Amino acid sequence: MEITIGVRDVAREITIDSPLPAEELRGAVKAALDSGTTLELTDENGAQVFVPGGALGYVRFGSETPRRVGFGV
């Protein structure tokens, strides 16, 4: 699932592809926002992203269906 994170006072977005299901990701974001702790996510390649919960501007979740590559219907 593709996730785009907007950080306050930073012009660029952070975009990662996470192997976690949508409900688990929503829970992690909600917990970071509610308690002010750090949002910790790992992408499909093992790279980690840490964002302080107080610095989160927005989080946009993409579709859970994988992107198709190539030509076809």
Side-chain angles (χ1 to χ4, degrees):
M1 163 172 271
E2 184 176 275
I3 304 163
T4 304
I5 302 169
V7 181
R8 293 182 187 177
D9 300 323
V10 176
R12 295 185 66 178
E13 298 175 328
I14 301 169
T15 302
I16 66 167
D17 286 319
S18 176
L20 297 176
E23 289 306 314
E24 191 171 336
L25 290 169
R26 284 186 187 96
V29 171
K30 185 165 177 17
L33 289 171
D34 290 345
S35 64
T37 59
T38 301
L39 174 63
E40 302 177 18
L41 298 174
T42 303
D43 73 2
E44 292 177 340
N45 299 322
Q48 294 181 321
V49 175
F50 296 89
V51 180
L56 289 171
Y58 63 90
V59 179
R60 181 174 54 227
F61 294 93
S63 64
E64 289 188 76
T65 58
R67 289 184 252 169
R68 296 192 296 181
V69 178
F71 298 99
V73 178

